[in-house]
Amino acid sequence: MIRLRVPPLLLLLSITTLVPAAELPKRPNIILCMADDQGFGDVGYNGDPIPHTPNLDAMAAVGLRLDRFNTAAPVCSPTRGSVLTGRHPNRFGCFSWGFELRPEEVTIAELLRDAGYATGHFGKWHLGSVRPEGANNPGDSGFETWLSAPNFYENDPILSREGTAEPLEGESSMVTVEAALDFIDEATAADRPFLAVVWFGSPHTPHEATPETREPYDDLELTNRLKNYYGEITGIDAAMGRLRASLRERGIAEETLVWYTSDNGPQNNGPGSTGGLRGRKGQLWEGGLRVPTILEWPAAIPEGRISDLPSGTVDILPTVLDLAGVSYPQPDRPLDGVSLAPLIAGAMEARPKPMGFWVAPSPGRRTPSAEIMAAHLAAQNAGEPLPRELPPVPTEPAERLIAAFEAGEELPGHAAWIDGSWKLHRIPGQDGSITLTLYDLAADPTESQDLAGDHPDRTAAMAEALADWQASVVRSLRGDDDKGQ
């Protein structure tokens, strides 16, 4: 539901107030921004006095703040895949960091490009190659223009401009926004609506702030690690300020939706903040999934609002397609997201279907961006063949999961199911046992009081719904999407 503004996390439990529904403008420009490992608490507007985020705070004050927005996965590549597809990443075998999209996935960039939008990707990719002929590069996924990194990247990065390595100078987040602004200018001059995907490399380790972005923390009693961590967040904030101001200078802010979020919670053993939520990156507790999220679109969101309606990265594709007036071309292909257009319009009181989460056990795949791009640039300058970019994506995790499903065995990996205010966790034990825990996130956002014993019928019903959803996910993984859910 939509609520009037109240103080941060643990106070966001007040009576809701609906905003009258509005008719939304058609075919807006879309800018999808994503931080890398920024936790729910790592913004000033959530009550932490340390993060210096004046631009994100200003954006939250005038936009639609989604305070129960969850990533599809607690690590980066799977979440990014969910943004592009509207589907849980296990459906297409993107189980962990460094995994890729399947070529047959239908992406938001492909659909908007075919509908006349200019499409551009800028920054971290982490869903495949950034080589000109590499598998699953941004161009293969529908982006006409791209300046991309294989993974997270630092200041003065080497990025791939549609397959050509290009050394750049500047703070990493600002470099990314400046490239996006060049693309926006070209699209505007051509009188085309645009989709700009801006995926920052911060505040992922190693934390390397510039003197300017670190300056707000120099006089605080913080470790150098913390000063650089917060400096990277302030670097993102400055880049977002540059983006917002530029849209206004160009006279296109009114017709542009800017959607800001993060790919997962803060790193384990890292300095980031979950805002008091349980768990961190890599975990299905709220601290690993719930992230700061703001939508700014002056023509459709004329004043600041807060929503505690459950939503997530799987909702981005169906929402954007709805706003652009584009139909999903395969109605029988399972989508896990729903359109949040009614929420933006002030007319959505409840989520129409639950959300599923599932970490299928799988190691990550190393994709060192700085090493890959330095080798790319050196070979390119020497006129030599490019060295091998990445090892093959492992197929064993998908094969093991499908085999367990077909044999009728218990499916491995921690899974969760969110239905309204309720969240169920399904946690397999090493002895084959299954533990079910149930939390009321409206009353207990820190997931500290297990209510499964108090609500056995609800627990059983949610466990059955989660099992049905997991079966649907494995059928997609197996290649049975034409059979629907």
Side-chain angles (χ1 to χ4, degrees), residues 184-197:
I184 288 169
D185 284 341
E186 292 178 5
T188 303
D191 197 25
R192 296 178 69 189
F194 58 81
L195 167 70
V197 173

mmCIF file with all atom_site columns, all heavy atoms in Angstrom, residues 184-197:
data_model
loop_
_atom_site.group_PDB
_atom_site.id
_atom_site.type_symbol
_atom_site.label_atom_id
_atom_site.label_alt_id
_atom_site.label_comp_id
_atom_site.label_asym_id
_atom_site.label_entity_id
_atom_site.label_seq_id
_atom_site.pdbx_PDB_ins_code
_atom_site.Cartn_x
_atom_site.Cartn_y
_atom_site.Cartn_z
_atom_site.occupancy
_atom_site.B_iso_or_equiv
_atom_site.pdbx_formal_charge
_atom_site.auth_seq_id
_atom_site.auth_comp_id
_atom_site.auth_asym_id
_atom_site.auth_atom_id
_atom_site.pdbx_PDB_model_num
ATOM 1   N N   . ILE A 1 184 ? 21.774 9.333  -24.215 1.00 0.00 ? 184 ILE A N   1
ATOM 2   C CA  . ILE A 1 184 ? 20.482 9.996  -24.066 1.00 0.00 ? 184 ILE A CA  1
ATOM 3   C C   . ILE A 1 184 ? 20.371 11.177 -25.032 1.00 0.00 ? 184 ILE A C   1
ATOM 4   O O   . ILE A 1 184 ? 19.324 11.403 -25.659 1.00 0.00 ? 184 ILE A O   1
ATOM 5   C CB  . ILE A 1 184 ? 20.284 10.425 -22.604 1.00 0.00 ? 184 ILE A CB  1
ATOM 6   C CG1 . ILE A 1 184 ? 20.024 9.191  -21.734 1.00 0.00 ? 184 ILE A CG1 1
ATOM 7   C CG2 . ILE A 1 184 ? 19.156 11.440 -22.463 1.00 0.00 ? 184 ILE A CG2 1
ATOM 8   C CD1 . ILE A 1 184 ? 20.075 9.454  -20.242 1.00 0.00 ? 184 ILE A CD1 1
ATOM 9   N N   . ASP A 1 185 ? 21.460 11.920 -25.171 1.00 0.00 ? 185 ASP A N   1
ATOM 10  C CA  . ASP A 1 185 ? 21.446 13.055 -26.108 1.00 0.00 ? 185 ASP A CA  1
ATOM 11  C C   . ASP A 1 185 ? 21.213 12.586 -27.540 1.00 0.00 ? 185 ASP A C   1
ATOM 12  O O   . ASP A 1 185 ? 20.447 13.197 -28.292 1.00 0.00 ? 185 ASP A O   1
ATOM 13  C CB  . ASP A 1 185 ? 22.760 13.825 -26.020 1.00 0.00 ? 185 ASP A CB  1
ATOM 14  C CG  . ASP A 1 185 ? 22.846 14.693 -24.773 1.00 0.00 ? 185 ASP A CG  1
ATOM 15  O OD1 . ASP A 1 185 ? 21.796 14.990 -24.177 1.00 0.00 ? 185 ASP A OD1 1
ATOM 16  O OD2 . ASP A 1 185 ? 23.975 15.055 -24.387 1.00 0.00 ? 185 ASP A OD2 1
ATOM 17  N N   . GLU A 1 186 ? 21.855 11.491 -27.922 1.00 0.00 ? 186 GLU A N   1
ATOM 18  C CA  . GLU A 1 186 ? 21.681 10.973 -29.274 1.00 0.00 ? 186 GLU A CA  1
ATOM 19  C C   . GLU A 1 186 ? 20.247 10.488 -29.498 1.00 0.00 ? 186 GLU A C   1
ATOM 20  O O   . GLU A 1 186 ? 19.642 10.743 -30.557 1.00 0.00 ? 186 GLU A O   1
ATOM 21  C CB  . GLU A 1 186 ? 22.666 9.838  -29.533 1.00 0.00 ? 186 GLU A CB  1
ATOM 22  C CG  . GLU A 1 186 ? 24.123 10.293 -29.589 1.00 0.00 ? 186 GLU A CG  1
ATOM 23  C CD  . GLU A 1 186 ? 25.077 9.122  -29.793 1.00 0.00 ? 186 GLU A CD  1
ATOM 24  O OE1 . GLU A 1 186 ? 24.594 7.993  -29.981 1.00 0.00 ? 186 GLU A OE1 1
ATOM 25  O OE2 . GLU A 1 186 ? 26.302 9.355  -29.757 1.00 0.00 ? 186 GLU A OE2 1
ATOM 26  N N   . ALA A 1 187 ? 19.698 9.804  -28.514 1.00 0.00 ? 187 ALA A N   1
ATOM 27  C CA  . ALA A 1 187 ? 18.331 9.310  -28.652 1.00 0.00 ? 187 ALA A CA  1
ATOM 28  C C   . ALA A 1 187 ? 17.340 10.464 -28.718 1.00 0.00 ? 187 ALA A C   1
ATOM 29  O O   . ALA A 1 187 ? 16.399 10.452 -29.530 1.00 0.00 ? 187 ALA A O   1
ATOM 30  C CB  . ALA A 1 187 ? 17.994 8.386  -27.475 1.00 0.00 ? 187 ALA A CB  1
ATOM 31  N N   . THR A 1 188 ? 17.553 11.471 -27.890 1.00 0.00 ? 188 THR A N   1
ATOM 32  C CA  . THR A 1 188 ? 16.657 12.622 -27.879 1.00 0.00 ? 188 THR A CA  1
ATOM 33  C C   . THR A 1 188 ? 16.724 13.381 -29.199 1.00 0.00 ? 188 THR A C   1
ATOM 34  O O   . THR A 1 188 ? 15.694 13.801 -29.739 1.00 0.00 ? 188 THR A O   1
ATOM 35  C CB  . THR A 1 188 ? 17.008 13.542 -26.698 1.00 0.00 ? 188 THR A CB  1
ATOM 36  O OG1 . THR A 1 188 ? 16.939 12.799 -25.467 1.00 0.00 ? 188 THR A OG1 1
ATOM 37  C CG2 . THR A 1 188 ? 16.044 14.713 -26.616 1.00 0.00 ? 188 THR A CG2 1
ATOM 38  N N   . ALA A 1 189 ? 17.947 13.527 -29.711 1.00 0.00 ? 189 ALA A N   1
ATOM 39  C CA  . ALA A 1 189 ? 18.093 14.218 -31.000 1.00 0.00 ? 189 ALA A CA  1
ATOM 40  C C   . ALA A 1 189 ? 17.399 13.462 -32.122 1.00 0.00 ? 189 ALA A C   1
ATOM 41  O O   . ALA A 1 189 ? 16.902 14.069 -33.082 1.00 0.00 ? 189 ALA A O   1
ATOM 42  C CB  . ALA A 1 189 ? 19.575 14.395 -31.320 1.00 0.00 ? 189 ALA A CB  1
ATOM 43  N N   . ALA A 1 190 ? 17.355 12.144 -32.017 1.00 0.00 ? 190 ALA A N   1
ATOM 44  C CA  . ALA A 1 190 ? 16.689 11.319 -33.026 1.00 0.00 ? 190 ALA A CA  1
ATOM 45  C C   . ALA A 1 190 ? 15.199 11.157 -32.759 1.00 0.00 ? 190 ALA A C   1
ATOM 46  O O   . ALA A 1 190 ? 14.514 10.425 -33.489 1.00 0.00 ? 190 ALA A O   1
ATOM 47  C CB  . ALA A 1 190 ? 17.356 9.944  -33.083 1.00 0.00 ? 190 ALA A CB  1
ATOM 48  N N   . ASP A 1 191 ? 14.708 11.822 -31.709 1.00 0.00 ? 191 ASP A N   1
ATOM 49  C CA  . ASP A 1 191 ? 13.294 11.787 -31.342 1.00 0.00 ? 191 ASP A CA  1
ATOM 50  C C   . ASP A 1 191 ? 12.838 10.355 -31.052 1.00 0.00 ? 191 ASP A C   1
ATOM 51  O O   . ASP A 1 191 ? 11.751 9.937  -31.464 1.00 0.00 ? 191 ASP A O   1
ATOM 52  C CB  . ASP A 1 191 ? 12.433 12.412 -32.434 1.00 0.00 ? 191 ASP A CB  1
ATOM 53  C CG  . ASP A 1 191 ? 11.027 12.772 -31.934 1.00 0.00 ? 191 ASP A CG  1
ATOM 54  O OD1 . ASP A 1 191 ? 10.886 12.989 -30.720 1.00 0.00 ? 191 ASP A OD1 1
ATOM 55  O OD2 . ASP A 1 191 ? 10.092 12.802 -32.755 1.00 0.00 ? 191 ASP A OD2 1
ATOM 56  N N   . ARG A 1 192 ? 13.684 9.609  -30.305 1.00 0.00 ? 192 ARG A N   1
ATOM 57  C CA  . ARG A 1 192 ? 13.347 8.249  -29.906 1.00 0.00 ? 192 ARG A CA  1
ATOM 58  C C   . ARG A 1 192 ? 13.243 8.178  -28.388 1.00 0.00 ? 192 ARG A C   1
ATOM 59  O O   . ARG A 1 192 ? 14.096 8.722  -27.679 1.00 0.00 ? 192 ARG A O   1
ATOM 60  C CB  . ARG A 1 192 ? 14.423 7.252  -30.367 1.00 0.00 ? 192 ARG A CB  1
ATOM 61  C CG  . ARG A 1 192 ? 14.589 7.126  -31.855 1.00 0.00 ? 192 ARG A CG  1
ATOM 62  C CD  . ARG A 1 192 ? 15.709 6.140  -32.171 1.00 0.00 ? 192 ARG A CD  1
ATOM 63  N NE  . ARG A 1 192 ? 15.368 4.761  -31.827 1.00 0.00 ? 192 ARG A NE  1
ATOM 64  C CZ  . ARG A 1 192 ? 16.250 3.744  -31.847 1.00 0.00 ? 192 ARG A CZ  1
ATOM 65  N NH1 . ARG A 1 192 ? 17.514 3.991  -32.180 1.00 0.00 ? 192 ARG A NH1 1
ATOM 66  N NH2 . ARG A 1 192 ? 15.871 2.524  -31.548 1.00 0.00 ? 192 ARG A NH2 1
ATOM 67  N N   . PRO A 1 193 ? 12.211 7.519  -27.861 1.00 0.00 ? 193 PRO A N   1
ATOM 68  C CA  . PRO A 1 193 ? 12.247 7.211  -26.428 1.00 0.00 ? 193 PRO A CA  1
ATOM 69  C C   . PRO A 1 193 ? 13.415 6.275  -26.172 1.00 0.00 ? 193 PRO A C   1
ATOM 70  O O   . PRO A 1 193 ? 13.896 5.582  -27.087 1.00 0.00 ? 193 PRO A O   1
ATOM 71  C CB  . PRO A 1 193 ? 10.899 6.532  -26.177 1.00 0.00 ? 193 PRO A CB  1
ATOM 72  C CG  . PRO A 1 193 ? 10.522 5.944  -27.499 1.00 0.00 ? 193 PRO A CG  1
ATOM 73  C CD  . PRO A 1 193 ? 11.074 6.882  -28.552 1.00 0.00 ? 193 PRO A CD  1
ATOM 74  N N   . PHE A 1 194 ? 13.908 6.225  -24.947 1.00 0.00 ? 194 PHE A N   1
ATOM 75  C CA  . PHE A 1 194 ? 15.114 5.431  -24.702 1.00 0.00 ? 194 PHE A CA  1
ATOM 76  C C   . PHE A 1 194 ? 15.001 4.596  -23.432 1.00 0.00 ? 194 PHE A C   1
ATOM 77  O O   . PHE A 1 194 ? 14.264 4.934  -22.499 1.00 0.00 ? 194 PHE A O   1
ATOM 78  C CB  . PHE A 1 194 ? 16.350 6.327  -24.624 1.00 0.00 ? 194 PHE A CB  1
ATOM 79  C CG  . PHE A 1 194 ? 16.299 7.405  -23.565 1.00 0.00 ? 194 PHE A CG  1
ATOM 80  C CD1 . PHE A 1 194 ? 16.598 7.120  -22.236 1.00 0.00 ? 194 PHE A CD1 1
ATOM 81  C CD2 . PHE A 1 194 ? 15.955 8.709  -23.903 1.00 0.00 ? 194 PHE A CD2 1
ATOM 82  C CE1 . PHE A 1 194 ? 16.555 8.107  -21.266 1.00 0.00 ? 194 PHE A CE1 1
ATOM 83  C CE2 . PHE A 1 194 ? 15.906 9.709  -22.941 1.00 0.00 ? 194 PHE A CE2 1
ATOM 84  C CZ  . PHE A 1 194 ? 16.205 9.405  -21.616 1.00 0.00 ? 194 PHE A CZ  1
ATOM 85  N N   . LEU A 1 195 ? 15.733 3.489  -23.454 1.00 0.00 ? 195 LEU A N   1
ATOM 86  C CA  . LEU A 1 195 ? 16.001 2.660  -22.277 1.00 0.00 ? 195 LEU A CA  1
ATOM 87  C C   . LEU A 1 195 ? 17.497 2.747  -22.018 1.00 0.00 ? 195 LEU A C   1
ATOM 88  O O   . LEU A 1 195 ? 18.294 2.303  -22.847 1.00 0.00 ? 195 LEU A O   1
ATOM 89  C CB  . LEU A 1 195 ? 15.609 1.205  -22.525 1.00 0.00 ? 195 LEU A CB  1
ATOM 90  C CG  . LEU A 1 195 ? 16.130 0.196  -21.486 1.00 0.00 ? 195 LEU A CG  1
ATOM 91  C CD1 . LEU A 1 195 ? 15.416 0.373  -20.152 1.00 0.00 ? 195 LEU A CD1 1
ATOM 92  C CD2 . LEU A 1 195 ? 15.980 -1.246 -21.998 1.00 0.00 ? 195 LEU A CD2 1
ATOM 93  N N   . ALA A 1 196 ? 17.885 3.317  -20.891 1.00 0.00 ? 196 ALA A N   1
ATOM 94  C CA  . ALA A 1 196 ? 19.289 3.369  -20.485 1.00 0.00 ? 196 ALA A CA  1
ATOM 95  C C   . ALA A 1 196 ? 19.444 2.548  -19.219 1.00 0.00 ? 196 ALA A C   1
ATOM 96  O O   . ALA A 1 196 ? 18.825 2.857  -18.191 1.00 0.00 ? 196 ALA A O   1
ATOM 97  C CB  . ALA A 1 196 ? 19.734 4.811  -20.253 1.00 0.00 ? 196 ALA A CB  1
ATOM 98  N N   . VAL A 1 197 ? 20.240 1.491  -19.283 1.00 0.00 ? 197 VAL A N   1
ATOM 99  C CA  . VAL A 1 197 ? 20.533 0.654  -18.120 1.00 0.00 ? 197 VAL A CA  1
ATOM 100 C C   . VAL A 1 197 ? 21.901 1.073  -17.598 1.00 0.00 ? 197 VAL A C   1
ATOM 101 O O   . VAL A 1 197 ? 22.904 0.932  -18.300 1.00 0.00 ? 197 VAL A O   1
ATOM 102 C CB  . VAL A 1 197 ? 20.494 -0.841 -18.492 1.00 0.00 ? 197 VAL A CB  1
ATOM 103 C CG1 . VAL A 1 197 ? 20.961 -1.699 -17.332 1.00 0.00 ? 197 VAL A CG1 1
ATOM 104 C CG2 . VAL A 1 197 ? 19.070 -1.234 -18.919 1.00 0.00 ? 197 VAL A CG2 1
#
